[in-house]
Protein backbone atom coordinates (compact mmCIF):
# COMPACT_ATOMS: atom_id res chain seq x y z
CA UNK A 1 0.00 0.00 0.00
CA UNK A 2 1.39 3.40 -0.99
CA UNK A 3 0.30 6.77 0.36
CA UNK A 4 2.07 10.02 -0.50
CA UNK A 5 1.47 13.71 -1.04
CA UNK A 6 3.41 14.97 -4.04
CA UNK A 7 3.81 18.50 -5.31
CA UNK A 8 4.38 17.54 -8.93
CA UNK A 9 3.27 14.80 -11.30
CA UNK A 10 2.18 11.40 -9.97
CA UNK A 11 1.19 11.41 -6.30
CA UNK A 12 2.76 7.97 -5.67
CA UNK A 13 4.65 6.92 -8.82
CA UNK A 14 6.37 8.93 -11.57
CA UNK A 15 7.57 6.92 -14.58
CA UNK A 16 10.20 9.15 -16.16
CA UNK A 17 10.66 9.63 -19.93
CA UNK A 18 11.62 6.68 -22.09
CA UNK A 19 12.62 6.70 -25.74
CA UNK A 20 10.95 5.10 -28.73
CA UNK A 21 13.88 2.63 -28.87
CA UNK A 22 13.88 1.89 -25.13
CA UNK A 23 10.47 2.77 -23.70
CA UNK A 24 10.76 0.87 -20.44
CA UNK A 25 7.85 -1.03 -18.93
CA UNK A 26 6.58 -1.09 -15.36
CA UNK A 27 4.18 -3.82 -14.22
CA UNK A 28 2.00 -3.53 -11.12
CA UNK A 29 0.57 -6.80 -9.76
CA UNK A 30 -1.63 -7.12 -6.66
CA UNK A 31 -0.71 -3.74 -5.19
CA UNK A 32 -2.81 -1.13 -3.39
CA UNK A 33 -2.17 2.51 -4.33
CA UNK A 34 -4.52 4.79 -2.45
CA UNK A 35 -5.15 8.23 -0.99
CA UNK A 36 -2.37 10.06 -2.85
CA UNK A 37 -2.43 13.70 -3.91
CA UNK A 38 -0.66 15.40 -6.81
CA UNK A 39 -0.82 18.97 -7.96
CA UNK A 40 0.01 18.09 -11.57
CA UNK A 41 -1.31 15.20 -13.74
CA UNK A 42 -1.72 11.73 -12.23
CA UNK A 43 -3.18 11.63 -8.72
CA UNK A 44 -1.54 8.22 -8.19
CA UNK A 45 0.66 7.56 -11.25
CA UNK A 46 2.18 9.66 -14.02
CA UNK A 47 3.38 7.83 -17.14
CA UNK A 48 5.81 10.08 -19.04
CA UNK A 49 6.78 10.01 -22.72
CA UNK A 50 7.11 6.60 -24.34
CA UNK A 51 6.75 4.65 -21.06
CA UNK A 52 4.53 1.59 -20.56
CA UNK A 53 2.44 0.76 -17.52
CA UNK A 54 0.76 -2.63 -17.17
CA UNK A 55 -1.74 -3.29 -14.37
CA UNK A 56 -2.35 -6.94 -13.42
CA UNK A 57 -3.79 -8.96 -10.56
CA UNK A 58 -7.38 -8.99 -9.35
CA UNK A 59 -6.20 -7.58 -6.00
CA UNK A 60 -4.65 -4.46 -7.56
CA UNK A 61 -6.55 -1.37 -6.38
CA UNK A 62 -5.91 2.25 -7.32
CA UNK A 63 -8.35 4.12 -5.09
CA UNK A 64 -9.09 7.51 -3.57
CA UNK A 65 -6.37 9.52 -5.34
CA UNK A 66 -6.85 13.22 -6.13
CA UNK A 67 -5.15 15.66 -8.48
CA UNK A 68 -5.55 19.38 -9.03
CA UNK A 69 -4.76 18.65 -12.67
CA UNK A 70 -5.89 15.85 -15.03
CA UNK A 71 -6.02 12.08 -14.46
CA UNK A 72 -7.35 11.36 -10.96
CA UNK A 73 -5.59 7.97 -10.93
CA UNK A 74 -3.30 8.01 -14.00
CA UNK A 75 -1.97 10.85 -16.17
CA UNK A 76 0.02 10.25 -19.36
CA UNK A 77 2.19 12.04 -21.89
CA UNK A 78 3.00 11.56 -25.59
CA UNK A 79 3.68 7.96 -26.61
CA UNK A 80 2.81 6.41 -23.23
CA UNK A 81 0.82 3.15 -23.09
CA UNK A 82 -1.35 2.02 -20.17
CA UNK A 83 -2.73 -1.55 -20.17
CA UNK A 84 -5.35 -2.68 -17.64
CA UNK A 85 -5.56 -6.49 -17.57
CA UNK A 86 -7.09 -6.85 -14.09
CA UNK A 87 -7.68 -4.83 -10.94
CA UNK A 88 -9.86 -1.89 -9.96
CA UNK A 89 -9.46 1.84 -10.52
CA UNK A 90 -12.07 3.36 -8.21
CA UNK A 91 -13.00 6.57 -6.44
CA UNK A 92 -10.34 8.85 -7.94
CA UNK A 93 -10.99 12.51 -8.70
CA UNK A 94 -9.78 15.59 -10.55
CA UNK A 95 -10.28 19.04 -9.09
CA UNK A 96 -10.24 22.50 -10.69
CA UNK A 97 -12.42 21.54 -13.68
CA UNK A 98 -9.81 19.12 -15.01
CA UNK A 99 -10.39 16.06 -17.19
CA UNK A 100 -10.16 12.28 -16.78
CA UNK A 101 -11.50 11.26 -13.38
CA UNK A 102 -9.57 7.98 -13.60
CA UNK A 103 -7.30 8.20 -16.67
CA UNK A 104 -6.07 11.11 -18.77
CA UNK A 105 -4.53 10.25 -22.14
CA UNK A 106 -2.42 12.93 -23.81
CA UNK A 107 -1.40 11.55 -27.22
CA UNK A 108 -1.14 8.17 -25.53
CA UNK A 109 -2.74 4.69 -25.68
CA UNK A 110 -5.01 2.79 -23.31
CA UNK A 111 -5.79 -0.92 -23.64
CA UNK A 112 -8.43 -2.53 -21.41
CA UNK A 113 -8.40 -6.34 -21.39
CA UNK A 114 -10.09 -6.72 -18.00
CA UNK A 115 -10.60 -5.11 -14.62
CA UNK A 116 -12.90 -2.24 -13.74
CA UNK A 117 -13.00 1.55 -13.71
CA UNK A 118 -15.71 2.65 -11.26
CA UNK A 119 -17.00 5.69 -9.38
CA UNK A 120 -14.38 8.21 -10.53
CA UNK A 121 -15.13 11.93 -10.98
CA UNK A 122 -13.91 14.62 -13.34
CA UNK A 123 -14.27 17.70 -11.14
CA UNK A 124 -15.97 21.02 -10.96
CA UNK A 125 -14.78 24.47 -9.98
CA UNK A 126 -17.54 26.64 -8.58
CA UNK A 127 -15.54 29.86 -8.83
CA UNK A 128 -15.24 29.68 -12.62
CA UNK A 129 -18.30 27.50 -13.28
CA UNK A 130 -16.15 25.21 -15.42
CA UNK A 131 -16.23 21.45 -15.17
CA UNK A 132 -14.27 18.34 -16.16
CA UNK A 133 -14.82 15.92 -19.03
CA UNK A 134 -14.52 12.14 -19.03
CA UNK A 135 -15.53 10.79 -15.63
CA UNK A 136 -13.60 7.58 -16.33
CA UNK A 137 -11.31 8.40 -19.26
CA UNK A 138 -10.35 11.53 -21.22
CA UNK A 139 -8.88 10.77 -24.66
CA UNK A 140 -7.02 13.69 -26.30
CA UNK A 141 -6.47 14.20 -30.01
CA UNK A 142 -3.86 11.74 -31.24
CA UNK A 143 -4.62 9.13 -28.56
CA UNK A 144 -6.02 5.62 -28.97
CA UNK A 145 -8.20 3.45 -26.79
CA UNK A 146 -8.93 -0.27 -27.18
CA UNK A 147 -11.60 -1.83 -24.96
CA UNK A 148 -11.95 -5.62 -25.25
CA UNK A 149 -13.09 -6.68 -21.78
CA UNK A 150 -13.80 -5.25 -18.32
CA UNK A 151 -16.29 -2.85 -16.75
CA UNK A 152 -16.64 0.93 -16.78
CA UNK A 153 -19.47 2.05 -14.50
CA UNK A 154 -20.69 4.71 -12.08
CA UNK A 155 -18.26 7.42 -13.19
CA UNK A 156 -19.26 11.08 -13.28
CA UNK A 157 -18.13 14.12 -15.24
CA UNK A 158 -19.47 17.47 -14.21
CA UNK A 159 -19.43 18.69 -17.82
CA UNK A 160 -19.45 15.97 -20.48
CA UNK A 161 -19.18 12.17 -20.76
CA UNK A 162 -19.53 10.30 -17.49
CA UNK A 163 -17.56 7.39 -18.97
CA UNK A 164 -15.29 8.35 -21.91
CA UNK A 165 -14.73 11.73 -23.54
CA UNK A 166 -12.98 11.59 -26.92
CA UNK A 167 -11.52 14.92 -28.01
CA UNK A 168 -10.76 15.61 -31.67
CA UNK A 169 -9.21 12.91 -33.81
CA UNK A 170 -8.56 9.84 -31.72
CA UNK A 171 -9.17 6.15 -32.35
CA UNK A 172 -11.53 3.85 -30.48
Amino acid sequence: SATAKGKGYGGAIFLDNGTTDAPGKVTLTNVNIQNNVSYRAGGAIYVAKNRQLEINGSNTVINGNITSDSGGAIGTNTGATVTLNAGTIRGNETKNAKDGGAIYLWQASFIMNGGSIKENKAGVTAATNKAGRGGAIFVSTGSSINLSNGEISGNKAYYRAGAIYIDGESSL
Side-chain angles (χ1 to χ4, degrees):
S1 180
T3 301
K5 186 173 184 177
K7 292 186 178 181
Y9 294 90
I13 299 170
F14 180 95
L15 304 180
D16 206 353
N17 293 336
T19 66
T20 53
D21 294 331
K25 180 177 177 181
V26 172
T27 302
L28 302 176
T29 304
N30 295 323
V31 297
N32 186 4
I33 302 172
Q34 64 180 4
N35 302 324
N36 298 286
V37 176
S38 75
Y39 296 96
R40 300 298 301 259
I45 303 166
Y46 183 75
V47 186
K49 289 183 179 182
N50 302 313
R51 292 302 300 257
Q52 299 173 15
L53 173 66
E54 185 173 301
I55 302 167
N56 298 316
S58 60
N59 293 324
T60 296
V61 177
I62 302 172
N63 178 61
N65 301 285
I66 297 172
T67 183
S68 297
D69 203 329
S70 300
I74 301 168
T76 67
N77 202 333
T78 306
T81 301
V82 176
T83 303
L84 178 61
N85 293 316
T88 301
I89 300 173
R90 167 181 265 161
N92 301 284
E93 185 173 351
T94 65
K95 300 284 187 182
N96 301 325
K98 296 298 183 173
D99 303 319
I103 299 169
Y104 180 82
L105 300 174
W106 178 257
Q107 299 176 352
S109 300
F110 176 68
I111 301 163
M112 186 172 185
N113 297 317
S116 62
I117 302 173
K118 300 178 178 183
E119 300 163 14
N120 300 283
K121 293 188 267 184
V124 66
T125 300
T128 61
N129 200 29
K130 292 183 179 177
R133 303 168 291 178
I137 304 168
F138 177 89
V139 183
S140 78
T141 297
S143 293
S144 68
I145 184 170
N146 182 331
L147 308 173
S148 63
N149 200 358
E151 175 185 359
I152 299 174
S153 65
N155 299 284
K156 182 175 184 177
Y158 287 91
Y159 183 51
R160 290 187 175 156
I164 302 169
Y165 183 91
I166 299 174
D167 187 42
E169 294 183 26
S170 299
S171 63
L172 176 62

